[in-house]
Every structure is written in structure tokens, then in C-alpha cells.
Amino acid sequence: MNLTELDTENLPKHIAVIMDGNGRWAKRQGMVRVFGHENGAKSVSRVVEACARLGVENLTLYAFSTENWNRPKSEVNTLMRLLVKSLRKELKKLQENNIRLLTIGNLDRLPSTTAKALSEVIELTKNNTRMTLTVALSYGSREELVQAVRQISDKVKNNIISIGDIDESSINQHLYTQNLPDVDLLIRTSGEQRISNFLLWQIAYAELYFTDVLWPDFKEEDLFLAIADYQKRQRRFGKTSEQIK
């Protein structure tokens, strides 16, 4: 499948991806897990450029969860080094494609070198307007929601807002993703069919797409297949089919 087969008038405004299967991919090659992560970085580059070319406005990638800190220290350190390397390598492409980088998650846990590299790229791309690429790092949706509840509770306690002021909009304003629209299409690779604590609030009405393709093997055509599947669906948001028509 290629780009010309898609309806460019019916693109998801926000695609989120759970990039799963790097370790299994490496194992199938008879290699160590880091080999999978390195090749997974190539898939990131392909998908980012394809989304920008299509006209997708927002792409959010689940790169490292709060639970991933429990992995072997050597793997975590390697992932962080790979992230810094990828950021520096991809900066030129981000600028050429007019893509802005953002990040969400508990960034206080990141190594200083990783945080510094992130800050630099975020600053250098802040005025880019073609697409927003958000990388979820040290991210957990439950932790995000707990933080939001604490911040809102503190404002109620200090009479900054009243309980009656709390609604969906005010909760949105206290999430990491406060400047992003809700997710339209969530893609997960590797055959697993679960959300894994990713954007639980933001995917309330997202279309879910699961593929058996392991992330390092995920190509442009796989992205196009996911979007084509999305375009076949009728998004009702609680209404009937007759109301949508």
C-alpha cells in the first residue's frame, strides 16, 4: 500500500504509537536486545517522516515507560545513550521537515546528559509548525493522572478553584498533554493487544489498531495500512450511525 491510496481529507490528527517488539526482533536475529533498539530507531525515523509528509499534525511515540526503569540497569543505560545519539542524529531532519519536538513524562528521573540533549532539541525546534512529535519518556498514565489530581486538590485547598470548577477541561489542563488534542488512532506493534499504561485519558475515543509486525520491521506501508483501516471505521463518539449521517 502507498500514500496515494489514502484519503488525505480523512487523516487522524493525532496518532500515538506503542513501539513494541525490539527485544523479540533482536532475539530472532540471534542478537542482544540493544540491536533491536538500534534498528527500532530507524523505524522511528521512517514513521516520523511519513507522518509529516502525509500531513498528520501530531505524532506521539511511547519510548520509555515508568515501568521500564525496572529493566536491567545495563539495558536502561544503553537505551538512554541511544536516545541521546538519535536526538543529535535526527535534529537535522526535524529542522528540514519543520517538525517540533516535545516530551512528556517524569523527566526528573532522566540522566542529566539525556535531559540536556532533549532540552537542546526541544529549544531548537520550538518554532517548527508542520508537525508536533511528542516522545513519551519515563511516562506512565496513572502517574500522570495522580499528579493531576494532586495539583487540582492543592488548588481547591488554597481556594484557587472550587470543586464545581473541576471538569474534563480542567483535568486536561493538568495533564502532560495539555497542549495536544486527544488521540485519534493508537497503533501497537508486535501482536500484543494491551494499552500498557499509555495515555489512558487521551485515548478515550481513539481507534485502536494492533499489528503483528515487530517495531524494527514497521515500514511506511505498515503505517499506511493502519491509517487505511482507521479510515474504514465510523467514529460515532456515543451517537448512533443515523446521527452521524
Side-chain angles (χ1 to χ4, degrees):
M1 181 167 205
N2 58 54
L3 187 153
T4 59
E5 298 176 66
L6 296 176
D7 178 3
T8 55
E9 298 300 315
N10 182 28
L11 292 172
K13 289 183 171 59
H14 188 177
I15 296 176
V17 185
I18 301 174
M19 307 178 293
D20 196 17
N22 289 337
R24 274 167 285 167
W25 185 89
K27 188 175 181 180
R28 290 181 186 179
Q29 313 296 317
M31 304 292 285
V32 294
R33 290 177 62 86
V34 65
F35 184 69
H37 295 307
E38 288 171 346
N39 281 273
K42 297 175 184 177
S43 292
V44 170
S45 184
R46 287 193 296 264
V47 168
V48 169
E49 289 194 69
C51 282
R53 193 165 67 252
L54 263 175
V56 174
E57 296 173 11
N58 296 278
L59 173 64
T60 299
L61 303 177
Y62 202 9
F64 193 87
S65 73
T66 50
E67 292 77 20
N68 286 156
W69 290 113
N70 296 319
R71 290 188 176 186
K73 188 175 181 181
S74 60
E75 181 176 349
V76 171
N77 291 340
T78 298
L79 282 168
M80 291 300 149
R81 285 196 297 271
L82 180 59
L83 176 61
V84 171
K85 179 182 176 182
S86 297
L87 284 167
R88 290 170 177 161
K89 181 181 177 182
E90 296 299 319
L91 175 58
K92 184 179 179 181
K93 287 185 180 179
L94 292 176
Q95 298 290 46
E96 288 174 349
N97 288 285
N98 194 20
I99 298 170
R100 175 176 66 146
L101 179 72
L102 294 178
T103 187
I104 56 174
N106 184 356
L107 305 183
D108 291 339
R109 296 187 67 179
L110 296 178
S112 58
T113 51
T114 306
K116 184 173 183 289
L118 266 174
S119 297
E120 289 172 354
V121 178
I122 288 170
E123 177 63 24
L124 289 169
T125 62
K126 67 180 181 181
N127 295 319
N128 293 347
T129 57
R130 186 180 186 184
M131 185 178 83
T132 296
L133 168 63
T134 304
V135 179
L137 277 172
S138 187
Y139 174 86
S141 190
R142 287 183 171 182
E143 183 178 79
E144 177 185 29
L145 290 168
V146 167
Q147 175 181 282
V149 170
R150 286 174 174 166
Q151 290 176 352
I152 292 170
S153 298
D154 189 62
K155 288 183 178 180
V156 171
K157 179 182 177 181
N158 290 288
N159 297 315
I160 298 172
I161 62 172
S162 68
I163 291 177
D165 293 326
I166 302 172
D167 56 14
E168 288 188 18
S169 177
S170 62
I171 292 172
N172 267 323
Q173 290 167 16
H174 291 84
L175 298 177
Y176 296 136
T177 55
Q178 58 186 266
N179 296 315
L180 297 174
D182 283 346
V183 175
D184 296 306
L185 172 63
L186 174 69
I187 300 169
R188 181 170 187 146
T189 60
S190 88
E192 304 292 351
Q193 297 187 19
R194 55 179 177 270
I195 305 305
S196 296
N197 198 19
F198 185 47
L199 300 175
L200 299 178
W201 175 275
Q202 298 87 343
I203 63 168
Y205 274 101
E207 298 299 321
L208 308 183
Y209 180 87
F210 301 104
T211 174
D212 290 334
V213 177
L214 301 177
W215 180 247
D217 288 329
F218 196 85
K219 306 290 193 299
E220 284 187 358
E221 51 264 40
D222 298 302
L223 172 69
F224 298 155
L225 283 170
I227 295 174
D229 186 82
Y230 166 88
Q231 292 181 341
K232 294 175 186 175
R233 304 185 191 184
Q234 184 183 62
R235 306 188 73 203
R236 297 192 296 273
F237 299 96
K239 296 180 181 179
T240 66
S241 297
E242 290 72 23
Q243 285 176 299
I244 297 299
K245 293 175 184 176

